[in-house]
Structures are given as C-alpha cells and as structure tokens.
C-alpha cells in the first residue's frame, strides 16, 4: 500500500512492522549539475532528507552513501542538514556505505549515529585536493596572445594560461590546510575515542570497510536490508524516498521555435561533458 495512504488508516488496520525511510546520496558532490548531469549537493539532497525525517512513526532514517567526494562545502552542508534534522525530529541516523564513501563522501557519512559498510567498500581519504591543467606554452605555439586586465594584483591567481607562481601555490596550500583541519576536527568530534591511534588516518589514504572498522572509521560491516531486519524485525518495511517529478518528467522552459533551444542545449551538453570527465576522475581514484 502507498505509504501516504497507509498513514491515513487507523493503526489497528495497518500492517505490523515499522517503516524505515531510505535516502540514496549517490554521485560526485558538486555545486553545479543540470539536466544532463545531476549532481549531489544540498539543493538535490535537502528535499529527500526533509521528506524522510518527516515520517513520524519511523524510529530511524537510513542513508545510503556512494560518493568519491567533491565539493567540501556541499559535503559539509549536507552533513549539517542531516544532523540538524536528526536532532529536530529525534531520530537515529544509520549510514550505509556502498562502493565508496571517501573524502566528501566520508564527510557526509560522519552525520550517521552509526556507519556500516560492506567489507569491500572504500572509506576514508580524509584530505583535500585541488587539480587543474596549465597551458602556458600552448598559446605561444598557436600564436595567441593572452590579455588580462585586473584591478587587484591577485585577481588572476593560478591562471592556467600563465606560469605558476610560488606565492600562488603557497596561498592555495594554506587554504587546503585550513579545510583539511576542519575535516579532521569533524572526524574527531564524531568518531571520538573509536579512532585508532594511527597517523595515516588523516593522511588522505583510504581503506576497505574491513580495515576501516579496525581504524574506527566505521562501526560495523553489513548491508542496509539485513541490518534493518535485524534491528527492527522481519516485518520492517523499507521506503525509498525519491524526488518528486511531474507526470511527464522534468519540464522544459522556453518557446518551441525551430532552433530556439539549440544553443542552450549545446551549452548544457558541453557543460555536462566537462562535469562527466571531472566525475569520472573522482571515481577513478578509487579504482571504480
């Protein structure tokens, strides 16, 4: 029976067993995203989380995490929203790791009162990385002159078409260290005395679920369905929380005049391709 209709029935007419909502937070964590490449960020996660925590009779909310990381800001925002809702609604949060919860994905997993992973899951990568490409010689080869005019001497810091500067690298490194320290403090605050005394934990390395358990990064090994049945009984029902869509899917805006949508669609496709390459690189770090 539909979960909404079931809640309208008097309790004596309902089937036995509790309802446990399931939220899937999967994918690379990016502030952007769009029609061609939806991303995991606060804007996409918040409606699902709000809906899951709104199920009054649920004693807990389960969250399936499968992410190689991405934006530290979006990761922390999702983490904070989960903790705020858990405290507001007085519900326990169980995080289940699928293939990977690394970097920002692990930051989100920290929101769980318990983190459970498969023995072969990848967890950890508590660090910060920035990457890009440099093309200072390319412009010379193709006969193009780079012209940039700024007010402020640091406005073109780390310009990929100019040689790297030592002071720019040092500035970026300080930013990374600041973000890394925030991440470390989050791990210590949430995992506390469970963490092993191992200096490699905060080095950016990552491990299997089995090793992660030994290091105190997770609380147990298992899978979502099995753990829910074990904790809440065989009659416990899993309710997957999904985005609300219109009858015919996502609506397109604009007038259907011949050629009118070609340029925006082409731009979206190009942006989607760039995001796909970036996402592929994130997953590839973990052999996935």
């Amino acid at each position: 029976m539909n979960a909404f209709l079931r809640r309208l029935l008097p309790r004596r007419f309902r089937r036995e067993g509790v309802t446990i909502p399931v939220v899937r937070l999967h994918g690379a964590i990016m502030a952007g995203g769009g029609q061609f490449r939806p991303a995991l960020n606060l804007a996409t996660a918040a409606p699902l989380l709000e809906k899951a925590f709104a199920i009054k009779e649920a004693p807990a909310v389960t969250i399936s995490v499968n992410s190689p990381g991405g934006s530290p800001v979006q990761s922390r925002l999702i983490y904070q929203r989960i903790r705020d809702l858990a405290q507001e609604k007085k519900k326990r949060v169980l995080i289940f790791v699928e293939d990977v919860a690394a970097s920002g994905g692990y930051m989100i997993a920290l929101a769980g009162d318990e983190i459970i992973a498969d023995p072969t899951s990848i967890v950890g990568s508590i660090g910060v990385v920035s990457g890009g490409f440099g093309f200072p010689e390319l412009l010379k080869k193709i006969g193009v002159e780079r012209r940039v005019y700024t007010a402020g001497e640091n406005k073109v810091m780390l310009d990929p078409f100019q040689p790297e500067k030592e002071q720019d690298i040092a500035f970026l490194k300080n930013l990374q260290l600041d973000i890394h320290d925030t991440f470390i403090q989050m791990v210590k605050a949430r995992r506390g005395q469970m963490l092993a005394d191992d200096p490699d934990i905060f080095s950016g390395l990552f491990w299997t679920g089995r090793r992660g358990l030994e290091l105190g990064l997770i609380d147990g090994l298992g899978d979502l369905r099995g753990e829910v049945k074990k904790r809440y009984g065989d009659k416990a029902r899993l309710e997957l929380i999904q985005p609300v869509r219109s009858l015919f899917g996502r609506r397109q805006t604009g007038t259907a005049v011949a050629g009118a949508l070609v340029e925006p669609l082409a731009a979206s496709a190009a942006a989607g391709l760039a995001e796909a390459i970036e996402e592929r690189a994130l997953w590839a770090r973990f052999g996935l």
Side-chain angles (χ1 to χ4, degrees):
M1 182 183 295
N2 180 276
F4 174 74
L5 295 177
R6 184 171 58 247
R7 288 195 290 271
L8 295 179
L9 291 174
R11 288 188 178 275
R12 64 180 180 274
F13 295 123
R14 301 180 193 176
R15 291 184 299 172
E16 295 181 0
V18 296
T19 297
I20 305 296
V22 180
V23 177
R24 299 177 79 247
L25 299 181
H26 289 199
I29 306 164
M30 302 178 182
Q35 180 178 356
F36 291 95
R37 201 75 184 179
L40 175 56
N41 51 48
L42 182 63
T44 57
L48 303 178
L49 294 169
E50 297 279 353
K51 187 176 179 181
F53 280 94
I55 300 177
K56 293 182 180 180
E57 66 269 26
V61 171
T62 62
I63 300 175
S64 169
V65 174
N66 196 5
S67 175
S71 164
V73 175
Q74 294 299 319
S75 302
R76 182 169 169 77
L77 288 174
I78 294 171
Y79 159 88
Q80 193 61 56
R81 183 61 57 89
I82 294 170
R83 291 313 312 157
D84 288 345
L85 287 168
Q87 294 174 17
E88 177 186 336
K89 303 296 184 180
K90 303 294 188 295
K91 294 188 186 295
R92 192 164 183 78
V93 178
L94 302 177
I95 298 286
F96 292 88
V97 180
E98 292 197 7
D99 296 277
V100 58
S103 195
Y106 184 72
M107 184 183 288
I108 292 175
L110 289 172
D113 295 298
E114 292 182 63
I115 305 174
I116 300 165
D118 186 84
T120 59
S121 298
I122 299 297
V123 296
S125 190
I126 302 168
V128 181
V129 62
S130 298
F133 298 93
F135 307 97
E137 301 300 321
L138 178 62
L139 297 185
K140 295 180 182 179
K141 290 183 179 180
I142 62 177
V144 176
E145 180 183 358
R146 173 75 162 159
R147 297 176 180 176
V148 180
Y149 309 98
T150 70
E153 58 182 308
N154 294 312
K155 286 298 292 183
V156 290
M157 182 180 295
L158 297 172
D159 187 330
F161 293 102
Q162 295 183 12
E164 284 188 310
K165 300 177 183 177
E166 291 297 327
Q167 62 267 31
D168 292 356
I169 298 172
F171 182 84
L172 178 61
K173 186 65 177 178
N174 284 332
L175 286 179
Q176 290 179 321
L177 290 172
D178 196 11
I179 296 171
H180 191 202
D181 182 66
T182 299
F183 197 173
I184 291 172
Q185 296 311 314
M186 289 176 66
V187 176
K188 289 182 176 180
R190 293 296 296 169
R191 303 302 300 169
Q193 299 300 315
M194 294 177 285
L195 290 175
D197 185 14
D198 190 325
D200 286 338
I201 287 179
F202 302 119
S203 70
L205 287 176
F206 46 89
W207 300 271
T208 64
R210 191 181 302 278
R211 178 59 177 152
L213 179 61
E214 295 173 356
L215 292 172
L217 295 174
I218 65 173
D219 299 285
L221 302 175
D223 65 281
L224 193 153
R225 186 176 184 279
E227 284 294 322
V228 167
K229 296 293 183 182
K230 182 169 65 177
R231 293 166 187 247
Y232 300 105
D234 291 335
K235 293 184 179 180
R237 298 182 301 276
L238 297 174
E239 181 178 332
L240 179 62
I241 307 300
Q242 303 188 67
V244 176
R245 295 184 179 274
S246 65
L247 181 61
F248 300 103
R250 185 176 299 174
R251 293 184 300 170
Q252 285 187 334
T253 58
T255 305
V257 178
L261 296 177
V262 171
E263 186 173 340
L265 284 174
S268 296
L273 178 60
E275 290 171 359
I277 294 172
E278 182 179 355
E279 182 176 357
R280 181 64 259 164
L282 285 170
W283 288 104
R285 288 190 61 231
F286 306 101
L288 301 169

